Amino acid sequence: MKKNILILLLSALFTFPAFADIVIVGNPSLPDGLTKKDAKKIFLGKKNKFIQGDLYVIELISSNPMKAKFHKKVTKKSLAQLESYWSKQLFTGKATPPVEVANANTVKATISQHANGISYMDEADVDSSVKILFKP
């Protein structure tokens, strides 16, 4: 019986997607010092400037499971709440939603093209093309 439980636990361990921690990344030229409060404001369009100028915020597409995990942790919104929020912001002209890309590779490529590019990804995907700005 104990052997069956052990096998069940081990198989469950290997069937869940393996995510390291989510980190907020940016162009290596961005300064350190991002706070959780700043991160929430940035990804909700309430803060669009950083020390160096206008930010270029990059989101993952909704079908990427990292997006839901990130927003649950940082903005405290579900994907449905986030979609509703951006619809309202866009309709009232207060803000426009961030650019969306499919995956971490596209995030890194886009950040390398924008000196003020900022996004999030699994820490396991971080390389020298991006800089970790904050670990929520």
Side-chain angles (χ1 to χ4, degrees), residues 56-106:
Y56 189 81
V57 182
I58 305 155
E59 275 275 7
L60 292 173
I61 57 175
S62 294
S63 61
N64 187 316
M66 184 68 64
K67 183 174 184 175
K69 186 177 177 183
F70 173 78
H71 281 283
K72 182 178 178 184
K73 198 170 193 175
V74 174
T75 65
K76 310 291 185 212
K77 292 190 182 294
S78 68
L79 290 181
Q81 290 171 322
L82 189 66
E83 187 175 319
S84 174
Y85 172 82
W86 280 115
S87 292
K88 184 178 177 183
Q89 295 301 308
L90 191 59
F91 181 74
T92 59
K94 291 182 178 176
T96 55
V99 172
E100 290 186 332
V101 299
N103 55 45
N105 288 334
T106 311

Side-chain angles (χ1 to χ4, degrees), residues 1-9:
M1 181 73 170
K2 288 182 181 179
K3 187 176 181 181
N4 289 342
I5 292 173
L6 181 63
I7 290 170
L8 183 64
L9 289 173

